[in-house]
Amino acid sequence: MRTARRAALAALAFASAAAATPASAHPHVWIQMQSGVVFNDQGQIAAVKLAWTFDDGYASLALDGLDKNGNGTYEPEELEPLTRENLESLKDYDFFTHVRLNGKAQALGAPTAAGQSYTGGKLQLHFELPLSTPVDPTRGEFVLKVYDPEFYIAFDYAGTTPVTVSGNMPPACKPVLKPLPTDAELEQTRAMLSTKGPDWKPDEEEDFGALFAQPMTIQCQA
């Protein structure tokens, strides 16, 4: 029964509300995140790293019954089933992770280096998503957006180092976390969306949620 409950909780945390729309949806799960970009030896972007810290409400439900030895802590092996269930659910939503170079969507592979921890009263999931084909950031702006298009889950950058870089980043490049849209910009966006039909998209690849997501970019001088 507890196994079924944990699976249901994982699905709840990582499934968008079927009837939700950008105009009416409200978050039910809150995540504070850090994102990273991994460069290979050739100076290409080879992967992105994600670290998500969950709100206390979700954590208390997700952790219920996982302290098998009753010692008051959550060992990696005790959290492993939850990690597996979360990643399985996330796969159906492309891990809420969208990568583009010059506006063109880049395919991502299966997650690696995945794990979960519970320290300081906070539950955190971390994993890495390799790019199917590494990209050269000097050929155009690299953009990473993490968001739920149905707004069931709220993703917000947090911490003193919300973005990181590892590997051989070209000297002419730097990471830039662009600001969130202002209230005035959000109102303009909402007003514009109210005039569109349910099937409208900003362009041929992006969706509603992309308009509200905070971009993490790699920008390189010519």
Side-chain angles (χ1 to χ4, degrees), residues 80-183:
E80 193 277 333
L82 179 64
T83 302
R84 189 174 355 103
E85 291 164 1
N86 282 345
L87 292 176
E88 188 64 26
S89 298
L90 282 165
K91 181 172 64 176
D92 294 334
Y93 301 93
D94 298 322
F95 302 92
F96 296 120
T97 302
H98 307 266
V99 169
R100 290 179 173 81
L101 183 71
N102 276 341
K104 183 178 180 181
Q106 305 297 309
L108 299 171
T112 63
Q116 210 147 187
S117 63
Y118 185 74
T119 56
K122 296 296 181 182
L123 177 66
Q124 185 182 88
L125 171 69
H126 64 269
F127 58 99
E128 189 170 312
L129 295 174
L131 273 69
S132 297
T133 302
V135 297
D136 183 355
T138 64
R139 296 183 177 274
E141 186 179 50
F142 174 89
V143 179
L144 165 66
K145 291 183 180 180
V146 181
Y147 64 92
D148 176 3
E150 302 293 346
F151 300 100
Y152 190 78
I153 304 170
F155 291 92
D156 294 298
Y157 278 101
T160 55
T161 54
V163 300
T164 62
V165 170
S166 58
N168 185 31
M169 181 173 68
C173 301
K174 64 179 180 180
V176 176
L177 181 60
K178 293 186 176 181
L180 282 166
T182 65
D183 289 342

Side-chain angles (χ1 to χ4, degrees), residues 8-29:
L9 288 171
L12 170 65
F14 293 116
S16 298
T21 66
S24 63
H26 298 283
H28 289 70
V29 178

